[in-house]
Amino acid sequence: MEISVRKGELASAPCDLLVVNAFFGMKDLQGATEGINQALDGDLARFMKEDHFKAKLGATFLMRTNGKIPAKRVLVVGLGKKEDVDLECVRQAAASSLNVAKELGVHSVVSVLHGAGAGERKAAECAQAMTEGARLAHYSFDTYRSSKKEKNEVVRFEIVSHQGQDVRQAIKGVELGELMARATTYARDLVNTPAQDMYPEKLVQAAQQIVKGKGTLRVRVFDRSALARMGAGGMLGVAKGSDHPPYLVHMVYKPKKATKKRVALVGKAVTFDSGGLSLKPADSMMTMKCDMAGAAAVLGAFSMIAQMAPACEVHGIFGAVENMPSGKAIRPGDVLTAMNKKTIEVLNTDAEGRLTLADTLTYACKQKPQAIIDLATLTGACMVALGEEITGIMSNNDDLAEKLSEASKTAGEKMWRLPLEKNYRKLLKSEVADMQNIGSRWGGALTAGLFLEEFVDKTPWAHLDIAGPSFAEREIDPYTRKGATGHGVRTLLSYLRTL
Ligand code: BES
Ligand code: ZN
Ligand code: ZN
């Protein structure tokens, strides 16, 4: 599918599907939609009324044009209440229209620039959101299907505006939206790939592939013996039960004229989480190929970072391991020594993410960044707290938490801050070691965050628990269907663009 922007009149645009929009509860059609209505002799408004079309966000109304205009069909997509329209509505409206186009099996779509008419919203941002929505709605993961569906594909998605100023801005927005969407779908592919084909070595290869031929990118890889020399007891401990060896991967993006800022992005990279000897029940294991979604988000961001070219230096770090039970696996009660020399009593081998992050966060601190952001599918407890669609932010730095929160809003990824309650630190006290890897029954997301805090010194740090939003067990919105979501990628890139 090619997404483009063109100056022109909607009413005279030849296409299979012409997309306009409407606000919820508005008596009369407005702007471009009213223009099309007039070209159709008022049929559009009449039929919409007859069918009680209310223009709820993402709702669609389809009609044939009977040759009155060059477009074969007109689709009205709801934007919701006018005063509530934001970029996320624009993203969803574009996604809904694309979903209808796919359902119809049409080739060419021409769309109005949703949201640009209203107030201060810039044409560039609207076009970016539309591109993200359309691209992500268009995504499917078919690698493992024997018969690739030979359905008619949407090959052309054209945004048409008669305002030259809007067109120039929208072209830039589409470019940025393309990068955001490509980074996101890259992460989705990594997460959707079954763990049989996505083991630690494959994540190493992904990183190597990304840096290849890019002057601003490089990568270092540490294998098992290097990890032993570095004292990465957390990673080595978790990896013991698996036939796949562990790797620590360190990517660096350094622009030609870098600002003084240096950020480290750290991802949990457990390519499959069986729970280890503290084995998960069958149902909980079904989606555990998603347990490397944190690293996938970091890799997704890095896959487009050279093109996006933020001004700061960025480090991407993950410790790839597989968590399996075997005669060689760590046992509940075993004590590991992490890279920063702290000892950890492993009371539950299913709380493995924090063991690997202990080492990768320690390693990240050694790069002396001004900020560390980690993304991890860390706890089921975070899903109990915030549900399937919202990420938990825990941070030792209000400014960083605030900036990430802002970036997540821009990106259309939902996040909410949770406290790092000092008084809960006692829950991680061990009888035999410096700390234990599980807290009490309650507040599991917070005790996991407090555990990680022990490994970042005083570096400004934010932990994103993405256990819920990284993998959709049902359809979330018009551009997020069942499976990997790529959640976190666009927040990271939006954040980096602000530095
Ligand atoms: N990878 C899981 C967390 C998870 C759960 C991610 C559901 C995505 C969906 C993590 O390693 C884990 O098993 N955590 C345990 C921690 C507990 C043993 C303290 C959990 O949440 O139950
Ligand atoms: Zn686990
Ligand atoms: Zn896990």
Side-chain angles (χ1 to χ4, degrees), residues 426-440:
K426 59 179 181 272
L427 301 172
L428 292 168
K429 287 223 166 90
S430 159
E431 294 293 319
V432 299
D434 297 344
M435 55 202 294
Q436 59 183 41
N437 78 329
I438 52 170
S440 74

Side-chain angles (χ1 to χ4, degrees), residues 87 91 125 128 132 176-177 179-181 183-184 265 297 301 304-305 308 310-312 373 403-413 415 488-499:
L87 287 173
R91 204 175 276 116
E125 290 175 337
Q128 180 192 337
E132 291 168 2
L176 185 53
L179 295 182
M180 291 284 186
T184 307
L265 310 178
M304 288 298 137
I305 202 168
M308 205 163 284
C312 55
I373 301 163
K403 290 214 170 86
L404 274 172
S405 213
E406 278 304 312
S408 84
K409 278 184 205 124
T410 309
E413 298 179 320
M415 301 192 181
V489 172
R490 285 174 292 125
T491 296
L492 288 180
L493 289 174
S494 305
Y495 169 73
L496 293 177
R497 274 169 51 80
T498 66
L499 299 180

Side-chain angles (χ1 to χ4, degrees), residues 68-87:
K68 285 183 182 162
I69 57 175
K72 291 201 186 105
R73 306 171 186 80
V74 168
L75 184 78
V76 183
V77 52
L79 285 175
K81 280 199 191 131
K82 186 165 189 179
E83 60 271 27
D84 295 343
V85 173
D86 58 11
L87 287 173

Side-chain angles (χ1 to χ4, degrees), residues 373-428:
I373 301 163
D374 82 69
L375 300 94
T377 45
L378 205 62
T379 66
C382 197
M383 300 176 69
V384 173
L386 297 175
E388 295 174 304
E389 300 184 25
I390 305 176
T391 279
I393 305 182
M394 281 147 268
S395 179
N396 60 4
N397 185 290
D398 292 344
D399 183 51
L400 179 59
E402 191 50 45
K403 290 214 170 86
L404 274 172
S405 213
E406 278 304 312
S408 84
K409 278 184 205 124
T410 309
E413 298 179 320
K414 294 174 204 125
M415 301 192 181
W416 193 258
R417 189 154 178 202
L418 301 173
L420 286 169
E421 173 54 52
K422 288 186 189 64
N423 223 26
Y424 291 168
R425 282 186 191 151
K426 59 179 181 272
L427 301 172
L428 292 168

Side-chain angles (χ1 to χ4, degrees), residues 268 273 291 352:
K268 173 173 171 179
D273 183 10
D291 217 17
E352 84 298 339

